[in-house]
Amino acid sequence: MAGKVFFSVTMSLDGFVAPDEVAVEDVFSPEGKNDPRVQRWMSKWSELQAWIFPQRFFRENLKLGEGGEEGLDNDIARATYERTGASVMGKRMFDGGALAWPEEAPFHTPVFVVTHETRDPWERPGGTTFHFVNDGIEKALDLAREAAGDRDVRIAGGGATILEYLNAGLIDEFSIALAPVLFGSGIRLFEGVDDGRLALEPVRAESSPRATHLTYTVRER
């Protein structure tokens, strides 16, 4: 039986999944380190994701060394990884990740990149292969389902790609790690959501000292 299609993101308390947009090349360029706008972006991004960085699983998966925290946050991070048989992401997330991820990218499964670019698959050490799909979101999902088998497909991001899948009625379930931070501005996860089509049913809510984890199933109205 095919698995679920889900997304799992961290969101600020006021609804943002990323700070104000900054060009990927600026964030990772040598000049970016001295750019106040980039510095502010990095500071806010680090604050948003602070719950995941100390976790043992995160450190293991990115080969950052031994040690790390265990508990609810760690269990959720590990379970999210273990349920995922393939991922789908947008081109902007891929472009940023290709600069930021280590050589052994942290997915260890097939990843399907929704793009207008025609490009051969890019195989990385550790079992991650990026496939570039220029036939739309449904084709990318079909390929990801086939690759995932009976495991789940994760729509990894970014926010615009998640929203596109959500509004197309292709998401079964999602989880939000609600971080205790306020952004005031940035990229809203649900900006433009088709509220007339979609309804949510709560599955569970769990809290740790670092974040509140909310899970919902999605159904059509």
Side-chain angles (χ1 to χ4, degrees), residues 55-190:
Q55 304 311 315
R56 176 182 288 273
F57 174 75
F58 179 85
R59 295 182 56 79
E60 289 175 353
N61 197 31
L62 271 74
K63 299 189 182 303
L64 299 177
E66 297 181 356
E69 295 180 4
E70 297 190 30
L72 176 64
D73 293 330
N74 188 65
D75 292 345
I76 287 173
R78 187 179 297 277
T80 301
Y81 169 82
E82 290 177 348
R83 70 182 285 192
T84 302
S87 296
V88 176
M89 68 178 59
K91 180 63 161 51
R92 188 172 188 275
M93 179 177 180
F94 169 78
D95 287 343
L99 296 172
W101 296 317
E103 184 180 9
E104 187 173 315
F107 300 95
H108 310 292
T109 63
V111 178
F112 297 86
V113 182
V114 181
T115 179
H116 296 296
E117 177 185 10
T118 300
R119 178 175 170 178
D120 291 335
W122 187 37
E123 186 175 349
R124 309 302 297 146
T128 300
T129 300
F130 294 95
H131 302 269
F132 302 89
V133 184
N134 53 22
D135 298 326
I137 64 170
E138 293 194 18
K139 180 63 174 179
L141 180 56
D142 288 343
L143 292 170
R145 284 186 186 275
E146 184 178 354
D150 59 357
R151 295 168 73 190
D152 296 337
V153 173
R154 182 181 183 184
I155 309 302
T161 300
I162 288 173
L163 185 65
E164 196 171 358
Y165 276 97
L166 192 59
N167 281 343
L170 298 173
I171 300 292
D172 300 310
E173 179 181 291
F174 67 84
S175 296
I176 292 173
L178 196 61
V181 298
L182 298 171
F183 272 13
S185 63
I187 299 173
R188 287 191 181 274
L189 177 61
F190 296 114

